[in-house]
Amino acid sequence: MSLKKKVSMAVVRRLPRYYRYLADLLKLDITRISSKELSMRMGITASQIRQDLNCFGGFGQQGYGYNVEFLYNEIGNIMGLNNRYQTIIIGSGHMGKALANYENFEKRGFKLVGIFDINPEVVGGSIKDIQIYHIDTLEEYVKTERVDIAILSVPYEQTPLVADRVARLGIKGLWNFSPMDLKLPYGDIVIENVHLSDGLMVLGYNMNQKMLSSKKTGD
Amino acid sequence: MSLKKKVSMAVVRRLPRYYRYLADLLKLDITRISSKELSMRMGITASQIRQDLNCFGGFGQQGYGYNVEFLYNEIGNIMGLNNRYQTIIIGSGHMGKALANYENFEKRGFKLVGIFDINPEVVGGSIKDIQIYHIDTLEEYVKTERVDIAILSVPYEQTPLVADRVARLGIKGLWNFSPMDLKLPYGDIVIENVHLSDGLMVLGYNMNQKMLSSKKTGD
DNA sequence: TAGATTGTTAATCGATTAACAATC
DNA sequence: TAGATTGTTAATCGATTAACAATC
């Protein structure tokens, strides 16, 4: 039941991917799947799938494979989705708005309970029935409502201060979209930094590589 | 000048991070930096930094370190940012809109030239002076304008068809925000899939782990 | 039972770190 | 020149893949 060894981040970062593919299988009414079949769908080795899953327990059955629904739920639990983390968004700019409207979060068990902004013009309004509060009322709000995760999407200058306030309030997770890497020393909080444009630059690299090599062969 | 060996994706995915940290140094008017100093700022080893950079060439100087501006520009070139990739966004929903308004893209050398949507109510409008065209005019548009990258942010059902059209038009890069992993067989196009909620689930995992371990020690 | 497929150990491969000679 | 710091080779570590006995 409990973990034998610390699971590597390489494995952990694959869990959401397994989860998505299992969701797709469920939608197709496929009830069982072997590591071999799943490996072909996902483009990774069957060995890796079995190795990965066995970090957390023996979810399969010899001669049968894995029950899709069972495995889906188990991986969901491993990622804590059954905690139904209560989530707030801080910063209702374009990105904050997009995130508030992203259905995938609810679907994955994250519950958006409030939005906070500094702009008086949007405070009092709402997005998808979620109230927008003034950022100054954050401390007060957290006194009465459970907040597990804060999604941060504020300008560069305000990022460290807002992050500090969030950490002080005992909020346990921070998903940071602001263009500044936040590091650990903010108390005990778990942080996940997002840099959207990093992916775009990797795309740029791969395109550039392809161009250079085709030039060499003489396109 | 040209690459000795194929550079591993592990290295490539660190390039944007170097690029960001160098941009920060530039803003601070720091002109030179040693791998040691940079390693402390970034939280990785100096050895890794030197190893990474030497995949692409000797950008430093013994006894001196690296010239920040020079290294910044070199890494930018490696990622092809000097190509000034012309970019379109397909799908102007909440996420498409947020992406259109994201200043970081322009800052990183990606030029947004058009937005496409299927909804007649938004077609003809614009976001940040960028025209919104009807998706049906995509083929016509590409005949007269150079398009290097398409950013896809359309509903699940439409994803494969739109991706197929994009690939057929000879567009070289696809940055896919639709909730469906796109795989290679679409011609010669380079694809980068984004799954925002994956990061949120990793955050969930880490929070869950922390909770479980603190329960064990008896919080 | 025979066939299939897991869980797990062992072998391989690749990535990171350490060390140091080269050189600015 | 002496000191600093790179570029690069060698050593270590970790992650992936292969193999197979266990077992449904």
Side-chain angles (χ1 to χ4, degrees), chain B residues 17-180:
Chain B
R17 189 139 183 275
Y18 290 127
Y19 196 71
R20 278 190 277 113
Y21 274 83
L22 290 166
D24 288 348
L25 290 172
L26 271 181
K27 228 189 289 176
L28 296 168
D29 283 317
I30 295 172
T31 56
R32 53 175 276 197
I33 191 144
S34 68
S35 58
K36 176 115 180 288
E37 166 74 15
L38 187 58
S39 81
M40 290 185 305
R41 284 177 182 266
M42 295 183 65
I44 57 180
T45 66
S47 220
Q48 178 162 73
I49 292 174
R50 294 204 300 277
Q51 196 76 277
D52 282 356
L53 297 179
N54 274 89
C55 292
F56 304 100
F59 300 132
Q61 207 163 68
Q62 284 95 334
Y64 172 88
Y66 299 88
N67 178 288
V68 175
E69 191 176 1
F70 175 74
L71 187 57
Y72 175 78
N73 288 325
E74 284 296 324
I75 293 180
N77 289 342
I78 289 164
M79 299 191 296
L81 306 191
N82 55 329
N83 294 339
R84 295 209 53 83
Y85 291 120
Q86 304 232 359
T87 305
I88 59 170
I89 290 175
I90 303 181
S92 74
H94 296 290
M95 186 51 69
K97 230 176 283 171
L99 292 171
N101 281 289
Y102 203 45
E103 314 98 350
N104 257 342
F105 301 153
E106 296 284 336
K107 218 189 288 172
R108 300 281 147 83
F110 297 87
K111 184 150 179 42
L112 182 62
V113 294
I115 300 167
F116 292 83
D117 203 285
I118 200 167
N119 179 359
E121 298 206 358
V122 301
V123 169
S126 68
I127 300 176
K128 281 218 304 188
D129 286 334
I130 308 294
Q131 272 282 133
I132 304 179
Y133 306 97
H134 195 280
I135 180 70
D136 286 348
T137 66
L138 177 64
E139 280 76 8
E140 200 184 334
Y141 180 89
V142 173
K143 269 183 201 154
T144 57
E145 307 289 329
R146 192 187 100 213
V147 176
D148 303 305
I149 294 175
I151 302 177
L152 218 64
S153 172
V154 300
Y156 187 84
E157 298 73 29
Q158 298 166 36
T159 305
L161 263 97
V162 178
D164 191 58
R165 283 171 68 184
V166 166
R168 268 179 221 284
L169 286 166
I171 293 173
K172 298 185 288 293
L174 182 50
W175 200 30
N176 177 37
F177 280 78
S178 311
M180 176 191 284

Side-chain angles (χ1 to χ4, degrees), chain A residues 88-92 114-117 135 138 150-154 162 166:
Chain A
I88 59 171
I89 291 175
I90 302 180
S92 73
I115 300 167
F116 291 84
D117 203 282
I135 179 68
L138 177 64
I151 303 177
L152 217 64
S153 172
V154 300
V162 178
V166 165

